[in-house]
PDB file of all heavy atoms in Angstrom:
ATOM      1  N   GLU A   1      10.976 -12.203 -20.922  1.00 96.00           N
ATOM      2  CA  GLU A   1      11.971 -11.343 -21.547  1.00 96.00           C
ATOM      3  C   GLU A   1      12.207 -11.817 -22.976  1.00 96.00           C
ATOM      4  O   GLU A   1      12.521 -12.977 -23.209  1.00 96.00           O
ATOM      5  CB  GLU A   1      13.264 -11.412 -20.740  1.00 96.00           C
ATOM      6  CG  GLU A   1      14.244 -10.339 -21.060  1.00 96.00           C
ATOM      7  CD  GLU A   1      15.401 -10.293 -20.079  1.00 96.00           C
ATOM      8  OE1 GLU A   1      15.146 -10.125 -18.858  1.00 96.00           O
ATOM      9  OE2 GLU A   1      16.542 -10.433 -20.543  1.00 96.00           O
ATOM     10  N   GLN A   2      12.040 -10.923 -23.923  1.00 95.00           N
ATOM     11  CA  GLN A   2      12.204 -11.236 -25.338  1.00 95.00           C
ATOM     12  C   GLN A   2      13.596 -10.847 -25.825  1.00 95.00           C
ATOM     13  O   GLN A   2      14.236 -11.589 -26.550  1.00 95.00           O
ATOM     14  CB  GLN A   2      11.126 -10.505 -26.138  1.00 95.00           C
ATOM     15  CG  GLN A   2      11.125 -10.769 -27.619  1.00 95.00           C
ATOM     16  CD  GLN A   2       9.967 -10.041 -28.289  1.00 95.00           C
ATOM     17  OE1 GLN A   2       8.820 -10.174 -27.877  1.00 95.00           O
ATOM     18  NE2 GLN A   2      10.267  -9.268 -29.294  1.00 95.00           N
ATOM     19  N   GLU A   3      14.042  -9.656 -25.423  1.00 94.00           N
ATOM     20  CA  GLU A   3      15.361  -9.148 -25.793  1.00 94.00           C
ATOM     21  C   GLU A   3      15.844  -8.239 -24.678  1.00 94.00           C
ATOM     22  O   GLU A   3      15.040  -7.676 -23.938  1.00 94.00           O
ATOM     23  CB  GLU A   3      15.295  -8.319 -27.090  1.00 94.00           C
ATOM     24  CG  GLU A   3      14.801  -9.064 -28.308  1.00 94.00           C
ATOM     25  CD  GLU A   3      14.632  -8.136 -29.509  1.00 94.00           C
ATOM     26  OE1 GLU A   3      15.595  -7.408 -29.832  1.00 94.00           O
ATOM     27  OE2 GLU A   3      13.540  -8.143 -30.095  1.00 94.00           O
ATOM     28  N   ALA A   4      17.182  -8.091 -24.573  1.00 95.00           N
ATOM     29  CA  ALA A   4      17.757  -7.172 -23.596  1.00 95.00           C
ATOM     30  C   ALA A   4      19.075  -6.652 -24.145  1.00 95.00           C
ATOM     31  O   ALA A   4      19.821  -7.401 -24.788  1.00 95.00           O
ATOM     32  CB  ALA A   4      17.976  -7.878 -22.262  1.00 95.00           C
ATOM     33  N   TYR A   5      19.335  -5.370 -23.898  1.00 95.00           N
ATOM     34  CA  TYR A   5      20.553  -4.740 -24.406  1.00 95.00           C
ATOM     35  C   TYR A   5      21.115  -3.794 -23.362  1.00 95.00           C
ATOM     36  O   TYR A   5      20.369  -3.154 -22.635  1.00 95.00           O
ATOM     37  CB  TYR A   5      20.268  -3.952 -25.694  1.00 95.00           C
ATOM     38  CG  TYR A   5      19.634  -4.787 -26.774  1.00 95.00           C
ATOM     39  CD1 TYR A   5      18.265  -4.740 -26.991  1.00 95.00           C
ATOM     40  CD2 TYR A   5      20.412  -5.628 -27.572  1.00 95.00           C
ATOM     41  CE1 TYR A   5      17.667  -5.518 -27.979  1.00 95.00           C
ATOM     42  CE2 TYR A   5      19.827  -6.409 -28.560  1.00 95.00           C
ATOM     43  CZ  TYR A   5      18.463  -6.355 -28.763  1.00 95.00           C
ATOM     44  OH  TYR A   5      17.880  -7.128 -29.732  1.00 95.00           O
ATOM     45  N   GLU A   6      22.438  -3.700 -23.325  1.00 93.00           N
ATOM     46  CA  GLU A   6      23.128  -2.716 -22.499  1.00 93.00           C
ATOM     47  C   GLU A   6      24.113  -1.985 -23.384  1.00 93.00           C
ATOM     48  O   GLU A   6      24.685  -2.572 -24.298  1.00 93.00           O
ATOM     49  CB  GLU A   6      23.865  -3.402 -21.348  1.00 93.00           C
ATOM     50  CG  GLU A   6      22.928  -4.010 -20.328  1.00 93.00           C
ATOM     51  CD  GLU A   6      23.648  -4.511 -19.083  1.00 93.00           C
ATOM     52  OE1 GLU A   6      24.583  -3.809 -18.616  1.00 93.00           O
ATOM     53  OE2 GLU A   6      23.268  -5.576 -18.600  1.00 93.00           O
ATOM     54  N   ALA A   7      24.315  -0.711 -23.096  1.00 91.00           N
ATOM     55  CA  ALA A   7      25.245   0.107 -23.880  1.00 91.00           C
ATOM     56  C   ALA A   7      26.135   0.898 -22.929  1.00 91.00           C
ATOM     57  O   ALA A   7      25.887   0.947 -21.720  1.00 91.00           O
ATOM     58  CB  ALA A   7      24.472   1.053 -24.804  1.00 91.00           C
ATOM     59  N   ASP A   8      27.128   1.532 -23.482  1.00 92.00           N
ATOM     60  CA  ASP A   8      28.025   2.363 -22.679  1.00 92.00           C
ATOM     61  C   ASP A   8      27.218   3.422 -21.943  1.00 92.00           C
ATOM     62  O   ASP A   8      26.162   3.852 -22.398  1.00 92.00           O
ATOM     63  CB  ASP A   8      29.060   3.046 -23.584  1.00 92.00           C
ATOM     64  CG  ASP A   8      30.024   2.045 -24.205  1.00 92.00           C
ATOM     65  OD1 ASP A   8      30.157   0.928 -23.657  1.00 92.00           O
ATOM     66  OD2 ASP A   8      30.635   2.374 -25.238  1.00 92.00           O
ATOM     67  N   GLY A   9      27.726   3.817 -20.792  1.00 92.00           N
ATOM     68  CA  GLY A   9      27.063   4.856 -20.014  1.00 92.00           C
ATOM     69  C   GLY A   9      25.914   4.340 -19.165  1.00 92.00           C
ATOM     70  O   GLY A   9      25.143   5.115 -18.625  1.00 92.00           O
ATOM     71  N   GLY A  10      25.766   3.032 -19.064  1.00 92.00           N
ATOM     72  CA  GLY A  10      24.714   2.451 -18.231  1.00 92.00           C
ATOM     73  C   GLY A  10      23.359   2.348 -18.898  1.00 92.00           C
ATOM     74  O   GLY A  10      22.371   2.047 -18.233  1.00 92.00           O
ATOM     75  N   ALA A  11      23.273   2.576 -20.189  1.00 94.00           N
ATOM     76  CA  ALA A  11      21.985   2.490 -20.892  1.00 94.00           C
ATOM     77  C   ALA A  11      21.529   1.038 -20.944  1.00 94.00           C
ATOM     78  O   ALA A  11      22.304   0.151 -21.309  1.00 94.00           O
ATOM     79  CB  ALA A  11      22.118   3.051 -22.304  1.00 94.00           C
ATOM     80  N   ARG A  12      20.281   0.796 -20.560  1.00 95.00           N
ATOM     81  CA  ARG A  12      19.710  -0.554 -20.568  1.00 95.00           C
ATOM     82  C   ARG A  12      18.293  -0.530 -21.110  1.00 95.00           C
ATOM     83  O   ARG A  12      17.537   0.402 -20.864  1.00 95.00           O
ATOM     84  CB  ARG A  12      19.649  -1.143 -19.154  1.00 95.00           C
ATOM     85  CG  ARG A  12      20.955  -1.557 -18.580  1.00 95.00           C
ATOM     86  CD  ARG A  12      20.787  -2.178 -17.207  1.00 95.00           C
ATOM     87  NE  ARG A  12      20.045  -3.430 -17.267  1.00 95.00           N
ATOM     88  CZ  ARG A  12      19.520  -4.020 -16.193  1.00 95.00           C
ATOM     89  NH1 ARG A  12      19.644  -3.486 -15.002  1.00 95.00           N
ATOM     90  NH2 ARG A  12      18.859  -5.160 -16.314  1.00 95.00           N
ATOM     91  N   VAL A  13      17.956  -1.602 -21.783  1.00 95.00           N
ATOM     92  CA  VAL A  13      16.584  -1.798 -22.238  1.00 95.00           C
ATOM     93  C   VAL A  13      16.287  -3.291 -22.176  1.00 95.00           C
ATOM     94  O   VAL A  13      17.144  -4.117 -22.468  1.00 95.00           O
ATOM     95  CB  VAL A  13      16.344  -1.239 -23.662  1.00 95.00           C
ATOM     96  CG1 VAL A  13      17.150  -1.997 -24.706  1.00 95.00           C
ATOM     97  CG2 VAL A  13      14.863  -1.270 -24.019  1.00 95.00           C
ATOM     98  N   VAL A  14      15.085  -3.617 -21.762  1.00 96.00           N
ATOM     99  CA  VAL A  14      14.588  -4.986 -21.799  1.00 96.00           C
ATOM    100  C   VAL A  14      13.239  -4.937 -22.486  1.00 96.00           C
ATOM    101  O   VAL A  14      12.376  -4.114 -22.142  1.00 96.00           O
ATOM    102  CB  VAL A  14      14.451  -5.596 -20.385  1.00 96.00           C
ATOM    103  CG1 VAL A  14      13.804  -6.973 -20.453  1.00 96.00           C
ATOM    104  CG2 VAL A  14      15.809  -5.686 -19.704  1.00 96.00           C
ATOM    105  N   ILE A  15      13.050  -5.802 -23.475  1.00 96.00           N
ATOM    106  CA  ILE A  15      11.785  -5.882 -24.204  1.00 96.00           C
ATOM    107  C   ILE A  15      11.056  -7.117 -23.697  1.00 96.00           C
ATOM    108  O   ILE A  15      11.573  -8.236 -23.771  1.00 96.00           O
ATOM    109  CB  ILE A  15      12.029  -5.942 -25.720  1.00 96.00           C
ATOM    110  CG1 ILE A  15      12.773  -4.672 -26.166  1.00 96.00           C
ATOM    111  CG2 ILE A  15      10.712  -6.116 -26.476  1.00 96.00           C
ATOM    112  CD1 ILE A  15      13.351  -4.743 -27.549  1.00 96.00           C
ATOM    113  N   LEU A  16       9.869  -6.904 -23.158  1.00 96.00           N
ATOM    114  CA  LEU A  16       9.066  -7.986 -22.589  1.00 96.00           C
ATOM    115  C   LEU A  16       7.944  -8.364 -23.541  1.00 96.00           C
ATOM    116  O   LEU A  16       7.322  -7.497 -24.150  1.00 96.00           O
ATOM    117  CB  LEU A  16       8.485  -7.548 -21.239  1.00 96.00           C
ATOM    118  CG  LEU A  16       9.515  -7.121 -20.186  1.00 96.00           C
ATOM    119  CD1 LEU A  16       8.813  -6.620 -18.934  1.00 96.00           C
ATOM    120  CD2 LEU A  16      10.455  -8.262 -19.852  1.00 96.00           C
ATOM    121  N   ASP A  17       7.687  -9.645 -23.642  1.00 96.00           N
ATOM    122  CA  ASP A  17       6.640 -10.158 -24.519  1.00 96.00           C
ATOM    123  C   ASP A  17       5.289 -10.021 -23.823  1.00 96.00           C
ATOM    124  O   ASP A  17       5.063 -10.610 -22.769  1.00 96.00           O
ATOM    125  CB  ASP A  17       6.913 -11.624 -24.856  1.00 96.00           C
ATOM    126  CG  ASP A  17       5.915 -12.212 -25.843  1.00 96.00           C
ATOM    127  OD1 ASP A  17       4.921 -11.529 -26.187  1.00 96.00           O
ATOM    128  OD2 ASP A  17       6.125 -13.356 -26.260  1.00 96.00           O
ATOM    129  N   ALA A  18       4.410  -9.242 -24.425  1.00 94.00           N
ATOM    130  CA  ALA A  18       3.087  -9.010 -23.849  1.00 94.00           C
ATOM    131  C   ALA A  18       2.005  -9.776 -24.602  1.00 94.00           C
ATOM    132  O   ALA A  18       0.824  -9.485 -24.443  1.00 94.00           O
ATOM    133  CB  ALA A  18       2.762  -7.524 -23.855  1.00 94.00           C
ATOM    134  N   GLY A  19       2.373 -10.734 -25.429  1.00 93.00           N
ATOM    135  CA  GLY A  19       1.361 -11.441 -26.204  1.00 93.00           C
ATOM    136  C   GLY A  19       0.838 -10.554 -27.307  1.00 93.00           C
ATOM    137  O   GLY A  19       1.556  -9.738 -27.862  1.00 93.00           O
ATOM    138  N   ARG A  20      -0.408 -10.692 -27.621  1.00 91.00           N
ATOM    139  CA  ARG A  20      -1.040  -9.906 -28.679  1.00 91.00           C
ATOM    140  C   ARG A  20      -1.242  -8.473 -28.214  1.00 91.00           C
ATOM    141  O   ARG A  20      -1.670  -8.232 -27.090  1.00 91.00           O
ATOM    142  CB  ARG A  20      -2.396 -10.541 -29.001  1.00 91.00           C
ATOM    143  CG  ARG A  20      -3.136  -9.846 -30.090  1.00 91.00           C
ATOM    144  CD  ARG A  20      -4.409 -10.640 -30.433  1.00 91.00           C
ATOM    145  NE  ARG A  20      -5.316  -9.753 -31.096  1.00 91.00           N
ATOM    146  CZ  ARG A  20      -6.451  -9.310 -30.568  1.00 91.00           C
ATOM    147  NH1 ARG A  20      -6.827  -9.698 -29.380  1.00 91.00           N
ATOM    148  NH2 ARG A  20      -7.215  -8.491 -31.232  1.00 91.00           N
ATOM    149  N   ALA A  21      -0.946  -7.518 -29.051  1.00 92.00           N
ATOM    150  CA  ALA A  21      -1.122  -6.104 -28.716  1.00 92.00           C
ATOM    151  C   ALA A  21      -2.210  -5.491 -29.588  1.00 92.00           C
ATOM    152  O   ALA A  21      -2.356  -5.840 -30.751  1.00 92.00           O
ATOM    153  CB  ALA A  21       0.183  -5.342 -28.929  1.00 92.00           C
ATOM    154  N   THR A  22      -2.975  -4.599 -28.993  1.00 90.00           N
ATOM    155  CA  THR A  22      -3.961  -3.827 -29.735  1.00 90.00           C
ATOM    156  C   THR A  22      -3.845  -2.373 -29.293  1.00 90.00           C
ATOM    157  O   THR A  22      -3.318  -2.088 -28.220  1.00 90.00           O
ATOM    158  CB  THR A  22      -5.410  -4.318 -29.474  1.00 90.00           C
ATOM    159  OG1 THR A  22      -5.700  -4.215 -28.085  1.00 90.00           O
ATOM    160  CG2 THR A  22      -5.596  -5.752 -29.939  1.00 90.00           C
ATOM    161  N   LEU A  23      -4.311  -1.483 -30.105  1.00 88.00           N
ATOM    162  CA  LEU A  23      -4.387  -0.069 -29.751  1.00 88.00           C
ATOM    163  C   LEU A  23      -5.862   0.272 -29.634  1.00 88.00           C
ATOM    164  O   LEU A  23      -6.603   0.199 -30.612  1.00 88.00           O
ATOM    165  CB  LEU A  23      -3.711   0.793 -30.823  1.00 88.00           C
ATOM    166  CG  LEU A  23      -3.775   2.306 -30.604  1.00 88.00           C
ATOM    167  CD1 LEU A  23      -3.054   2.690 -29.306  1.00 88.00           C
ATOM    168  CD2 LEU A  23      -3.175   3.027 -31.797  1.00 88.00           C
ATOM    169  N   GLU A  24      -6.285   0.595 -28.423  1.00 90.00           N
ATOM    170  CA  GLU A  24      -7.690   0.918 -28.171  1.00 90.00           C
ATOM    171  C   GLU A  24      -7.829   2.428 -28.081  1.00 90.00           C
ATOM    172  O   GLU A  24      -7.285   3.049 -27.170  1.00 90.00           O
ATOM    173  CB  GLU A  24      -8.131   0.263 -26.856  1.00 90.00           C
ATOM    174  CG  GLU A  24      -9.564   0.533 -26.490  1.00 90.00           C
ATOM    175  CD  GLU A  24      -9.987  -0.220 -25.228  1.00 90.00           C
ATOM    176  OE1 GLU A  24      -9.547  -1.362 -25.029  1.00 90.00           O
ATOM    177  OE2 GLU A  24     -10.765   0.357 -24.456  1.00 90.00           O
ATOM    178  N   LEU A  25      -8.525   3.013 -29.023  1.00 90.00           N
ATOM    179  CA  LEU A  25      -8.778   4.445 -29.007  1.00 90.00           C
ATOM    180  C   LEU A  25     -10.177   4.676 -28.452  1.00 90.00           C
ATOM    181  O   LEU A  25     -11.135   4.048 -28.903  1.00 90.00           O
ATOM    182  CB  LEU A  25      -8.674   5.016 -30.427  1.00 90.00           C
ATOM    183  CG  LEU A  25      -7.332   4.825 -31.122  1.00 90.00           C
ATOM    184  CD1 LEU A  25      -7.404   5.323 -32.561  1.00 90.00           C
ATOM    185  CD2 LEU A  25      -6.230   5.534 -30.358  1.00 90.00           C
ATOM    186  N   ALA A  26     -10.283   5.552 -27.466  1.00 91.00           N
ATOM    187  CA  ALA A  26     -11.571   5.802 -26.825  1.00 91.00           C
ATOM    188  C   ALA A  26     -11.767   7.306 -26.693  1.00 91.00           C
ATOM    189  O   ALA A  26     -10.827   8.025 -26.364  1.00 91.00           O
ATOM    190  CB  ALA A  26     -11.616   5.142 -25.444  1.00 91.00           C
ATOM    191  N   ASN A  27     -13.000   7.759 -26.916  1.00 91.00           N
ATOM    192  CA  ASN A  27     -13.267   9.185 -26.716  1.00 91.00           C
ATOM    193  C   ASN A  27     -13.468   9.458 -25.220  1.00 91.00           C
ATOM    194  O   ASN A  27     -13.585   8.522 -24.421  1.00 91.00           O
ATOM    195  CB  ASN A  27     -14.440   9.653 -27.591  1.00 91.00           C
ATOM    196  CG  ASN A  27     -15.781   9.119 -27.140  1.00 91.00           C
ATOM    197  OD1 ASN A  27     -15.920   8.495 -26.098  1.00 91.00           O
ATOM    198  ND2 ASN A  27     -16.791   9.376 -27.956  1.00 91.00           N
ATOM    199  N   PRO A  28     -13.483  10.718 -24.804  1.00 90.00           N
ATOM    200  CA  PRO A  28     -13.598  11.037 -23.372  1.00 90.00           C
ATOM    201  C   PRO A  28     -14.842  10.446 -22.706  1.00 90.00           C
ATOM    202  O   PRO A  28     -14.772  10.020 -21.552  1.00 90.00           O
ATOM    203  CB  PRO A  28     -13.626  12.568 -23.356  1.00 90.00           C
ATOM    204  CG  PRO A  28     -12.831  12.972 -24.565  1.00 90.00           C
ATOM    205  CD  PRO A  28     -13.205  11.935 -25.607  1.00 90.00           C
ATOM    206  N   ALA A  29     -15.959  10.398 -23.411  1.00 91.00           N
ATOM    207  CA  ALA A  29     -17.172   9.816 -22.821  1.00 91.00           C
ATOM    208  C   ALA A  29     -16.965   8.335 -22.511  1.00 91.00           C
ATOM    209  O   ALA A  29     -17.423   7.833 -21.479  1.00 91.00           O
ATOM    210  CB  ALA A  29     -18.362  10.011 -23.760  1.00 91.00           C
ATOM    211  N   GLN A  30     -16.283   7.624 -23.391  1.00 92.00           N
ATOM    212  CA  GLN A  30     -16.012   6.199 -23.171  1.00 92.00           C
ATOM    213  C   GLN A  30     -15.084   5.994 -21.975  1.00 92.00           C
ATOM    214  O   GLN A  30     -15.330   5.138 -21.137  1.00 92.00           O
ATOM    215  CB  GLN A  30     -15.399   5.577 -24.433  1.00 92.00           C
ATOM    216  CG  GLN A  30     -14.935   4.142 -24.271  1.00 92.00           C
ATOM    217  CD  GLN A  30     -16.060   3.132 -24.128  1.00 92.00           C
ATOM    218  OE1 GLN A  30     -17.223   3.442 -24.349  1.00 92.00           O
ATOM    219  NE2 GLN A  30     -15.705   1.925 -23.740  1.00 92.00           N
ATOM    220  N   THR A  31     -14.012   6.776 -21.879  1.00 93.00           N
ATOM    221  CA  THR A  31     -13.094   6.590 -20.755  1.00 93.00           C
ATOM    222  C   THR A  31     -13.769   6.920 -19.428  1.00 93.00           C
ATOM    223  O   THR A  31     -13.533   6.241 -18.428  1.00 93.00           O
ATOM    224  CB  THR A  31     -11.795   7.410 -20.920  1.00 93.00           C
ATOM    225  OG1 THR A  31     -12.106   8.782 -21.054  1.00 93.00           O
ATOM    226  CG2 THR A  31     -10.997   6.938 -22.122  1.00 93.00           C
ATOM    227  N   ARG A  32     -14.643   7.927 -19.417  1.00 92.00           N
ATOM    228  CA  ARG A  32     -15.402   8.237 -18.193  1.00 92.00           C
ATOM    229  C   ARG A  32     -16.323   7.081 -17.832  1.00 92.00           C
ATOM    230  O   ARG A  32     -16.439   6.700 -16.669  1.00 92.00           O
ATOM    231  CB  ARG A  32     -16.213   9.526 -18.368  1.00 92.00           C
ATOM    232  CG  ARG A  32     -15.388  10.800 -18.228  1.00 92.00           C
ATOM    233  CD  ARG A  32     -16.268  12.046 -18.158  1.00 92.00           C
ATOM    234  NE  ARG A  32     -17.163  12.197 -19.294  1.00 92.00           N
ATOM    235  CZ  ARG A  32     -16.822  12.792 -20.450  1.00 92.00           C
ATOM    236  NH1 ARG A  32     -15.614  13.302 -20.603  1.00 92.00           N
ATOM    237  NH2 ARG A  32     -17.690  12.887 -21.425  1.00 92.00           N
TER     238      ARG A  32
END
């Protein structure tokens, strides 16, 4: 857990540390 917040009305969020992040873009042939 990196951060966590609560707000009125029951709103909650927790930010989890996933290490290094990348965005992998793949065309349909690659995903198949």
Side-chain angles (χ1 to χ4, degrees):
E1 195 170 302
Q2 182 177 307
E3 300 174 52
Y5 304 100
E6 292 188 40
D8 293 339
R12 287 182 65 195
V13 65
V14 175
I15 300 167
L16 302 176
D17 184 353
R20 181 174 159 250
T22 59
L23 177 62
E24 180 176 323
L25 301 175
N27 71 7
Q30 174 71 11
T31 58
R32 281 190 304 274

